[in-house]
mmCIF file of all heavy atoms in Angstrom:
data_model
loop_
_atom_site.group_PDB
_atom_site.id
_atom_site.type_symbol
_atom_site.label_atom_id
_atom_site.label_comp_id
_atom_site.label_asym_id
_atom_site.label_seq_id
_atom_site.Cartn_x
_atom_site.Cartn_y
_atom_site.Cartn_z
ATOM 1 N N GLN A 195 -5.932 -7.369 0.452
ATOM 2 C CA GLN A 195 -5.371 -8.241 -0.581
ATOM 3 C C GLN A 195 -5.141 -7.490 -1.882
ATOM 4 O O GLN A 195 -4.673 -8.063 -2.865
ATOM 5 C CB GLN A 195 -6.308 -9.434 -0.852
ATOM 6 C CG GLN A 195 -6.439 -10.336 0.360
ATOM 7 C CD GLN A 195 -5.130 -10.988 0.722
ATOM 8 O OE1 GLN A 195 -4.436 -11.541 -0.112
ATOM 9 N NE2 GLN A 195 -4.765 -10.913 1.977
ATOM 10 N N HIS A 196 -5.511 -6.216 -1.908
ATOM 11 C CA HIS A 196 -5.439 -5.444 -3.121
ATOM 12 C C HIS A 196 -4.907 -4.057 -2.784
ATOM 13 O O HIS A 196 -5.206 -3.520 -1.729
ATOM 14 C CB HIS A 196 -6.833 -5.342 -3.738
ATOM 15 C CG HIS A 196 -6.857 -4.838 -5.149
ATOM 16 N ND1 HIS A 196 -6.891 -5.665 -6.255
ATOM 17 C CD2 HIS A 196 -6.827 -3.577 -5.651
ATOM 18 C CE1 HIS A 196 -6.894 -4.935 -7.358
ATOM 19 N NE2 HIS A 196 -6.853 -3.660 -6.991
ATOM 20 N N THR A 197 -4.160 -3.455 -3.681
ATOM 21 C CA THR A 197 -3.714 -2.081 -3.557
ATOM 22 C C THR A 197 -4.105 -1.298 -4.769
ATOM 23 O O THR A 197 -3.885 -1.757 -5.892
ATOM 24 C CB THR A 197 -2.184 -1.992 -3.350
ATOM 25 O OG1 THR A 197 -1.805 -2.685 -2.161
ATOM 26 C CG2 THR A 197 -1.714 -0.547 -3.258
ATOM 27 N N LEU A 198 -4.721 -0.154 -4.543
ATOM 28 C CA LEU A 198 -5.056 0.759 -5.620
ATOM 29 C C LEU A 198 -4.109 1.931 -5.572
ATOM 30 O O LEU A 198 -4.005 2.642 -4.566
ATOM 31 C CB LEU A 198 -6.506 1.263 -5.484
ATOM 32 C CG LEU A 198 -6.945 2.342 -6.514
ATOM 33 C CD1 LEU A 198 -6.921 1.744 -7.939
ATOM 34 C CD2 LEU A 198 -8.309 2.894 -6.185
ATOM 35 N N ILE A 223 -9.043 -2.406 0.971
ATOM 36 C CA ILE A 223 -8.178 -2.095 -0.152
ATOM 37 C C ILE A 223 -7.188 -1.032 0.295
ATOM 38 O O ILE A 223 -7.575 0.010 0.801
ATOM 39 C CB ILE A 223 -9.013 -1.559 -1.351
ATOM 40 C CG1 ILE A 223 -9.972 -2.638 -1.816
ATOM 41 C CG2 ILE A 223 -8.090 -1.111 -2.505
ATOM 42 C CD1 ILE A 223 -10.983 -2.175 -2.864
ATOM 43 N N ASN A 224 -5.915 -1.330 0.130
ATOM 44 C CA ASN A 224 -4.854 -0.344 0.439
ATOM 45 C C ASN A 224 -4.830 0.701 -0.656
ATOM 46 O O ASN A 224 -5.161 0.427 -1.800
ATOM 47 C CB ASN A 224 -3.480 -1.030 0.513
ATOM 48 C CG ASN A 224 -3.321 -1.873 1.734
ATOM 49 O OD1 ASN A 224 -4.046 -1.714 2.724
ATOM 50 N ND2 ASN A 224 -2.365 -2.777 1.730
ATOM 51 N N ILE A 268 4.334 -1.973 -0.551
ATOM 52 C CA ILE A 268 3.205 -2.713 -1.163
ATOM 53 C C ILE A 268 3.551 -4.207 -1.126
ATOM 54 O O ILE A 268 4.573 -4.602 -1.684
ATOM 55 C CB ILE A 268 2.926 -2.273 -2.604
ATOM 56 C CG1 ILE A 268 2.514 -0.797 -2.634
ATOM 57 C CG2 ILE A 268 1.842 -3.144 -3.240
ATOM 58 C CD1 ILE A 268 2.312 -0.256 -4.028
ATOM 59 N N PRO A 269 2.749 -5.014 -0.437
ATOM 60 C CA PRO A 269 3.058 -6.449 -0.347
ATOM 61 C C PRO A 269 3.130 -7.083 -1.746
ATOM 62 O O PRO A 269 2.349 -6.782 -2.626
ATOM 63 C CB PRO A 269 1.858 -7.018 0.445
ATOM 64 C CG PRO A 269 1.356 -5.840 1.217
ATOM 65 C CD PRO A 269 1.547 -4.661 0.344
ATOM 66 N N ALA A 270 4.126 -7.946 -1.909
ATOM 67 C CA ALA A 270 4.370 -8.582 -3.237
ATOM 68 C C ALA A 270 3.179 -9.401 -3.706
ATOM 69 O O ALA A 270 2.972 -9.518 -4.911
ATOM 70 C CB ALA A 270 5.620 -9.458 -3.139
ATOM 71 N N HIS A 271 2.385 -9.942 -2.773
ATOM 72 C CA HIS A 271 1.268 -10.808 -3.191
ATOM 73 C C HIS A 271 0.012 -10.016 -3.566
ATOM 74 O O HIS A 271 -0.957 -10.574 -4.039
ATOM 75 C CB HIS A 271 0.905 -11.785 -2.071
ATOM 76 C CG HIS A 271 0.291 -11.133 -0.875
ATOM 77 N ND1 HIS A 271 1.031 -10.511 0.099
ATOM 78 C CD2 HIS A 271 -1.017 -11.003 -0.505
ATOM 79 C CE1 HIS A 271 0.220 -10.018 1.018
ATOM 80 N NE2 HIS A 271 -1.031 -10.298 0.680
ATOM 81 N N HIS A 272 0.039 -8.699 -3.394
ATOM 82 C CA HIS A 272 -1.148 -7.888 -3.700
ATOM 83 C C HIS A 272 -1.391 -7.746 -5.197
ATOM 84 O O HIS A 272 -0.443 -7.572 -5.973
ATOM 85 C CB HIS A 272 -0.995 -6.477 -3.097
ATOM 86 C CG HIS A 272 -1.489 -6.388 -1.719
ATOM 87 N ND1 HIS A 272 -2.012 -5.241 -1.216
ATOM 88 C CD2 HIS A 272 -1.512 -7.273 -0.726
ATOM 89 C CE1 HIS A 272 -2.356 -5.421 0.060
ATOM 90 N NE2 HIS A 272 -2.049 -6.659 0.375
ATOM 91 N N GLN A 273 -2.664 -7.775 -5.555
ATOM 92 C CA GLN A 273 -3.056 -7.335 -6.867
ATOM 93 C C GLN A 273 -2.952 -5.816 -6.853
ATOM 94 O O GLN A 273 -3.284 -5.176 -5.868
ATOM 95 C CB GLN A 273 -4.476 -7.754 -7.194
ATOM 96 C CG GLN A 273 -4.650 -9.232 -7.396
ATOM 97 C CD GLN A 273 -6.059 -9.550 -7.825
ATOM 98 O OE1 GLN A 273 -7.003 -8.802 -7.623
ATOM 99 N NE2 GLN A 273 -6.209 -10.704 -8.438
ATOM 100 N N LEU A 274 -2.439 -5.259 -7.932
ATOM 101 C CA LEU A 274 -2.226 -3.811 -7.982
ATOM 102 C C LEU A 274 -2.993 -3.238 -9.156
ATOM 103 O O LEU A 274 -2.897 -3.729 -10.290
ATOM 104 C CB LEU A 274 -0.713 -3.536 -8.142
ATOM 105 C CG LEU A 274 -0.266 -2.079 -8.181
ATOM 106 C CD1 LEU A 274 -0.644 -1.349 -6.878
ATOM 107 C CD2 LEU A 274 1.243 -2.035 -8.398
ATOM 108 N N SER A 275 -3.805 -2.228 -8.883
ATOM 109 C CA SER A 275 -4.507 -1.501 -9.940
ATOM 110 C C SER A 275 -4.047 -0.068 -9.950
ATOM 111 O O SER A 275 -3.629 0.460 -8.915
ATOM 112 C CB SER A 275 -6.029 -1.536 -9.681
ATOM 113 O OG SER A 275 -6.516 -2.838 -9.739
ATOM 114 N N ALA A 303 2.694 -5.106 -14.099
ATOM 115 C CA ALA A 303 2.473 -4.595 -12.748
ATOM 116 C C ALA A 303 1.017 -4.439 -12.352
ATOM 117 O O ALA A 303 0.649 -4.699 -11.214
ATOM 118 C CB ALA A 303 3.186 -3.237 -12.575
ATOM 119 N N PHE A 304 0.177 -4.023 -13.293
ATOM 120 C CA PHE A 304 -1.194 -3.670 -12.960
ATOM 121 C C PHE A 304 -2.202 -4.677 -13.465
ATOM 122 O O PHE A 304 -2.195 -5.073 -14.646
ATOM 123 C CB PHE A 304 -1.531 -2.291 -13.510
ATOM 124 C CG PHE A 304 -0.606 -1.201 -13.071
ATOM 125 C CD1 PHE A 304 0.199 -0.527 -13.951
ATOM 126 C CD2 PHE A 304 -0.506 -0.872 -11.727
ATOM 127 C CE1 PHE A 304 1.065 0.480 -13.550
ATOM 128 C CE2 PHE A 304 0.373 0.113 -11.298
ATOM 129 C CZ PHE A 304 1.163 0.784 -12.205
ATOM 130 N N LYS A 305 -3.085 -5.079 -12.574
ATOM 131 C CA LYS A 305 -4.172 -5.949 -12.958
ATOM 132 C C LYS A 305 -5.103 -5.227 -13.914
ATOM 133 O O LYS A 305 -5.651 -5.768 -14.844
ATOM 134 C CB LYS A 305 -4.949 -6.403 -11.712
ATOM 135 C CG LYS A 305 -6.155 -7.218 -12.006
ATOM 136 C CD LYS A 305 -6.931 -7.510 -10.736
ATOM 137 C CE LYS A 305 -8.208 -8.254 -11.133
ATOM 138 N NZ LYS A 305 -9.303 -7.955 -10.276
ATOM 139 N N GLU A 306 -5.271 -3.914 -13.648
ATOM 140 C CA GLU A 306 -6.134 -3.066 -14.479
ATOM 141 C C GLU A 306 -5.658 -1.633 -14.365
ATOM 142 O O GLU A 306 -5.038 -1.254 -13.373
ATOM 143 C CB GLU A 306 -7.592 -3.178 -14.072
ATOM 144 C CG GLU A 306 -7.823 -2.790 -12.627
ATOM 145 C CD GLU A 306 -9.156 -3.289 -12.081
ATOM 146 O OE1 GLU A 306 -10.024 -3.718 -12.851
ATOM 147 O OE2 GLU A 306 -9.305 -3.248 -10.863
#
Side-chain angles (χ1 to χ4, degrees):
Q195 295 297 310
H196 193 96
T197 297
L198 175 64
I223 298 172
N224 288 341
I268 296 176
H271 70 278
H272 272 211
Q273 290 185 338
L274 182 61
S275 296
F304 304 116
K305 176 185 175 212
E306 58 198 346

